[in-house]
Amino acid sequence: MMRLLFSAGAGYSHIAPLLPLATAARDLGHATVFVTGPGAVGHLEAAGLHGVAVGAAAAGPQPWGRYSPAELAVMSAEEKLAFVVTVMAEAGAGGRLDDMLAFFRDWRPELVVAASGEFAAVAAAVVTGVPFAVHAIGPPKSAAVMAGGWAVVDELVRRFEPGGLPSRDNVPYLDIWPGGLRPAGVEWDLPNRWPVRPDGMLPVEGERPYPAPVVYVTAGTAHNTKPGVLEAMIGGVRDAGVDVVATIGRDGDLDRFGTQPGHVRITHFLPQERVLPHAEVVVCHAGAGTVLGALAHGKPLVLTPLATDQFDTAAQVADAGAGVVAEPSPDAVRAALGRVRRNPAYRAAAGVLAAEIAAMPPPVAVLERLTGGDGLGQQ
């Protein structure tokens, strides 16, 4: 048995993709700890994992003001995403590395699995000589998008190791994203891809609270309170002649949606695995967890991307024929929903991706490969 350290940022959307592998490690008898930021340990305790907060909560202004609104307005989606990655490295790794190193030296992990963008754990692994893998939390990122983040990590590592950050070509990238969504001709960051089935997204048996069919509407947990977004989605689907289930997040305000028709149910939270089996179409913000869940159930999508890699995700789903991208307006959502419902090709394409997801190697198999040392000794 080994001492395995998992690490992810404090957002639940960053933690959740790693939970199947971490719980598999625990169940197999490995000494397992999951490191995250302050305020997020409860997510790990709810999963029955030993969670530890490392590093203080961010204090004071964050470095988002480097560009003016006018400059940000003319940036491409890829340029904005690259900026976000660099800021994550500066604020996350730069502010937490000393505390992370202290924890590493005390707990002495033998293998580290860090969420994509969780640079502090990677830097600590390099400095302490511990093998590491990177676990996807969404779609793969290009080398260009991640370059700024890795440059920050290299500078941090050079405080302790003059050689800086070693080559990442052999670092295992534990990829939850189906290959059928990957665009061709891209120079990807972390090219040593190890597919791993996103078990937390798969269909499960159990009581189903809704008669089929429904249109499922969600904006996830990060953008659910943004004014106008969920209103546009719900406004675009409520006259489609189908029951609607919309989740607005635990911090959402039900009053903001006013009185809705009887066939539209708006609630704070439902496990999506309870709704997706009954969904005809999923209308969402192109968040990775919602998209993977929908596709794992073979459900086509209407996608209204709002930020970061959601634009990549939406484009990949559309290119695969499993959904339609729409502006976040009632008219655009209504038109896109009509297209998806009328054309069975969208559901067929989603079914192809569902079969691919189901056939990906399960977390237990990937964990056995990792703990067996496959590829880790070449770091």
Side-chain angles (χ1 to χ4, degrees), residues 94 96 295:
R96 296 170 66 223
L295 294 177

Side-chain angles (χ1 to χ4, degrees), residues 110-298:
E110 297 173 275
L111 173 64
V112 172
V113 178
S116 179
E118 217 303 72
F119 294 110
V122 170
V126 172
V127 171
T128 56
V130 180
F132 69 94
V134 174
H135 196 298
I137 59 174
K141 306 296 185 291
S142 70
V145 161
M146 300 298 291
W150 288 122
V152 171
V153 177
D154 181 66
E155 185 176 342
L156 291 170
V157 169
R158 287 180 187 276
R159 289 169 42 196
F160 307 91
E161 295 289 339
L165 193 64
S167 169
R168 300 175 301 282
D169 288 348
N170 293 319
V171 172
Y173 177 67
L174 311 182
D175 193 4
I176 59 175
W177 213 242
L181 290 180
R182 277 189 162 227
V186 177
E187 182 185 354
W188 297 109
D189 187 51
L190 302 173
N192 184 17
R193 177 177 182 255
W194 291 21
V196 56
R197 193 173 63 203
D199 275 6
M201 307 297 177
L202 300 183
V204 296
E205 296 298 325
E207 180 183 355
R208 308 304 185 195
Y210 302 108
V214 300
V215 170
Y216 174 44
V217 178
T218 181
T221 57
H223 302 279
N224 55 306
T225 59
K226 186 174 182 179
V229 173
L230 276 165
E231 288 89 343
M233 292 179 179
I234 294 170
V237 304
R238 66 182 165 208
D239 298 325
V242 65
D243 288 344
V244 176
V245 176
T247 55
I248 64 172
R250 299 185 192 276
D251 56 348
D253 179 10
L254 287 170
D255 291 339
R256 96 186 215 210
F257 299 95
T259 302
Q260 295 289 332
H263 66 281
V264 177
R265 177 181 176 182
I266 302 177
T267 188
H268 287 288
F269 172 79
L270 284 168
Q272 68 177 15
E273 64 268 19
R274 296 186 66 203
V275 184
L276 286 172
H278 290 296
E280 179 184 358
V281 180
V282 176
V283 179
C284 71
H285 60 307
T290 305
V291 167
L292 272 180
L295 294 177
H297 287 76

